[in-house]
Amino acid sequence: MFIIIGIMLTGMLVGYLLRNKRLLWIKIITLLIWTLLFLLGIDVGGNEAIIKGLHTLGLEAIIITLAAVTGSVLCAWGLWYLLYIRNRRKETEA
C-alpha cells in the first residue's frame, strides 16, 4: 500500500515540476491508461466469483457511481461559481 501511495505522490511531484512544460506524450499516457482499463476488464471478466456476484454488485456500483458523479458535479459547479461568477460580479461593481 505504501508503495502505491509513494508512486502516486512521486507522479504528483513530477507533474508539479513539469506543470509549465508542453507535454506532447500525453496521448501516449492516455493510450496506456485505456490499455490498463482493458486488461483490468479482461481480468474481472475471467474471475468467476465477480461474475457470479455481478447482480448484487451492480446495484451497489450504480448507487456509488451516482453519488460520486453527483458530488463531483456539485463541487465543480461550486468551484466554478466561486472562481468565475463571483469574480465577474466584483469586476462589474468596481
Side-chain angles (χ1 to χ4, degrees), residues 27-52:
K27 291 182 181 181
I28 295 171
I29 292 173
T30 303
L31 181 64
L32 289 173
I33 290 172
W34 288 349
T35 305
L36 285 171
L37 287 171
F38 177 74
L39 293 173
L40 178 65
I42 289 174
D43 191 43
V44 168
N47 190 333
E48 287 185 37
I50 293 176
I51 297 300
K52 287 181 181 177

Side-chain angles (χ1 to χ4, degrees), residues 2-13:
F2 290 117
I3 293 172
I4 294 172
I5 293 172
I7 290 171
M8 188 174 68
L9 291 176
T10 303
M12 289 171 60
L13 177 65

Side-chain angles (χ1 to χ4, degrees), residues 14-86:
V14 170
Y16 179 77
L17 295 174
L18 299 176
R19 69 185 179 276
N20 294 328
K21 303 230 186 292
R22 186 102 173 133
L23 303 176
L24 299 175
W25 42 274
I26 294 295
K27 291 182 181 181
I28 295 171
I29 292 173
T30 303
L31 181 64
L32 289 173
I33 290 172
W34 288 349
T35 305
L36 285 171
L37 287 171
F38 177 74
L39 293 173
L40 178 65
I42 289 174
D43 191 43
V44 168
N47 190 333
E48 287 185 37
I50 293 176
I51 297 300
K52 287 181 181 177
L54 199 57
H55 63 281
T56 58
L57 292 174
L59 181 60
E60 292 175 14
I62 288 173
I63 292 170
I64 292 171
T65 301
L66 289 175
V69 168
T70 303
S72 295
V73 167
L74 289 175
C75 287
W77 178 81
L79 184 63
W80 176 75
Y81 177 79
L82 287 173
L83 294 178
Y84 294 105
I85 301 297
R86 209 167 165 193

